[in-house]
Amino acid sequence: TMSSEVFSYESLVHAVSGAMGSVTAMTVFFPLDTARLRLQVDDNRKAKSTPAILAEIIKEEGLLAPYRGWFPVICSLCCSNFVYFYCFHSLKAGWLKGQKSTPGSDLIIGIAAGVVNVLVTTPLWVVNTRLKLQGSKFRNADIRSTNYSGILDAFVQIIRDEGVGALWNGTFPSLLLVMNPAIQFMIYEGLKRQLRRGVPRELSSLEVFIIGAVAKAVATTVTYPLQTIQSILRFGQFNESTDKSKLLSSLRTIKCLLVNRARRFGMLGLFKGLEAKLLQTVLTAALMFLLYEKIASCTFRVMGLKNSHYKNR
């Protein structure tokens, strides 16, 4: 039954493996994410390359500045990947019921898992974006400083000063961005099937690393302009329109931010920070998939579920 698929040990193993893999990988490449976020949000910053911006941050804000906001990001990432991997694998098991998966089914399941993930975890990502940028030295004078003492205090202050709805800032672009992990998983699972060519075998570490990197590179490049808008909205420094319709307001805000950015910096401005994002996200995703596969296959082997880990995938 569907309920037994949703509450299965297999889904739990995938979820824990995905969460552990992503947390480890993000910790290793965290400074690259700091550089990417600063490039997206701080329009007036002159440094264009990742090494230059990291050198600037360390010089102005100290050696540990590239790791500012690490704890809330790791908490958010752990919850987010747990929810995503759990939903993806339980929905997949429930839908396929022993059939082979296809790129189309992987994409649809990925989108469904992404929607659940966005609605559940957006407040955590809003808080972690604020904490990650708090205390930064911005070139843009219009950015207001914040004073949060931690995750809980950030929640309290945002609800008190901006209302509960502010915790879901950037939800609409985030819902559009469920295409990112959906495309990523579709390409990843598809490449995995190609490499196996019908033989249920464990892929080598290098194979997993490469297909994880390729899948993430494609997904990130396709959806990057929306990711920039998402970061700006989560930061909460943009004055949104006051239309009665939330959906119309969100669409108008996204269009306005995209058009303004294109006018100010040209079409390439929509991809500002892409180099830092690609470097960080591709390496992180590749390492995350590698760790995820190793942790999952090791756990399944211990549990005696080795064959079911590979069939239908």
Side-chain angles (χ1 to χ4, degrees):
T1 64
M2 186 67 185
S3 62
S4 66
E5 300 292 1
V6 171
F7 299 108
S8 71
Y9 279 120
E10 283 200 39
S11 296
L12 191 62
V13 170
H14 285 299
V16 172
S17 304
M20 286 170 66
S22 64
V23 163
T24 309
M26 180 53 113
T27 301
V28 172
F29 297 114
F30 193 80
L32 298 176
D33 194 53
T34 299
R36 180 270 311 173
L37 190 57
R38 209 68 72 86
L39 279 165
Q40 285 182 326
V41 170
D42 196 0
D43 290 341
N44 298 340
R45 192 171 279 279
K46 294 287 183 282
K48 295 289 187 285
S49 72
T50 306
I53 199 167
L54 282 174
E56 251 183 24
I57 292 168
I58 290 167
K59 185 180 169 190
E60 292 174 8
E61 302 169 35
L63 200 58
L64 292 177
Y67 275 92
R68 180 184 290 114
W70 171 82
F71 184 70
V73 169
I74 290 303
C75 288
S76 305
L77 194 70
C78 189
C79 295
S80 186
N81 275 287
F82 184 91
V83 170
Y84 192 89
F85 274 84
Y86 196 96
C87 288
F88 185 84
H89 287 286
S90 51
L91 286 171
K92 193 169 180 174
W95 185 349
L96 295 174
K97 291 186 171 60
Q99 303 299 307
K100 292 278 184 203
S101 64
T102 63
S105 65
D106 285 337
L107 185 67
I108 294 164
I109 292 164
I111 291 168
V115 169
V116 174
N117 183 31
V118 164
L119 296 176
V120 171
T121 64
T122 289
L124 282 168
W125 287 113
V126 168
V127 165
N128 102 52
T129 301
R130 305 278 185 101
L131 289 170
K132 203 163 170 3
L133 291 165
Q134 182 169 275
S136 305
K137 288 182 167 57
F138 292 109
R139 302 292 191 272
N140 189 342
D142 295 334
I143 292 176
R144 302 183 299 276
S145 61
T146 52
N147 186 28
Y148 307 126
S149 62
I151 297 174
L152 280 176
D153 183 50
F155 271 114
V156 171
Q157 282 198 47
I158 292 168
I159 292 168
R160 187 188 66 212
D161 300 337
E162 302 168 50
V164 176
L167 290 172
W168 275 270
N169 276 354
T171 298
F172 194 71
S174 296
L175 284 172
L176 297 178
L177 276 168
V178 300
M179 289 305 291
N180 182 310
I183 292 167
Q184 177 188 345
F185 268 73
M186 178 184 75
I187 295 170
Y188 179 76
E189 297 283 332
L191 288 172
K192 206 154 66 167
R193 279 192 293 274
Q194 284 299 313
L195 284 171
R196 287 193 180 132
R197 290 185 185 87
V199 181
R201 68 176 179 94
E202 190 171 346
L203 298 182
S204 71
S205 299
L206 184 62
E207 285 173 325
V208 173
F209 192 87
I210 290 169
I211 64 173
V214 169
K216 192 61 176 178
V218 174
T220 298
T221 306
V222 168
T223 59
Y224 189 74
L226 275 172
Q227 292 184 46
T228 300
I229 301 312
Q230 180 192 51
S231 292
I232 293 166
L233 290 174
R234 280 176 175 172
F235 191 33
Q237 303 278 348
F238 177 79
N239 295 321
E240 296 188 49
S241 58
T242 52
D243 289 358
K244 287 201 172 71
S245 164
K246 276 280 186 192
L247 180 63
L248 270 177
S249 176
S250 296
L251 281 168
R252 202 159 284 139
T253 299
I254 292 165
K255 182 189 160 200
C256 178
L257 284 167
L258 285 169
V259 169
N260 285 350
R261 205 165 182 85
R263 278 201 192 121
R264 285 184 67 186
F265 305 109
M267 284 307 287
L268 286 177
L270 296 175
F271 293 90
K272 191 175 179 229
L274 178 61
E275 174 232 355
K277 179 68 176 173
L278 271 180
L279 192 60
Q280 176 261 326
T281 202
V282 168
L283 289 172
T284 304
L287 183 57
M288 183 269 286
F289 274 120
L290 175 58
L291 293 169
Y292 153 68
E293 291 287 355
K294 294 299 172 194
I295 295 166
S297 67
C298 184
T299 309
F300 283 126
R301 202 172 286 126
V302 169
M303 291 168 68
L305 293 169
K306 187 170 186 287
N307 290 335
S308 64
H309 177 46
Y310 301 120
K311 73 182 180 188
N312 308 326
R313 295 188 67 218

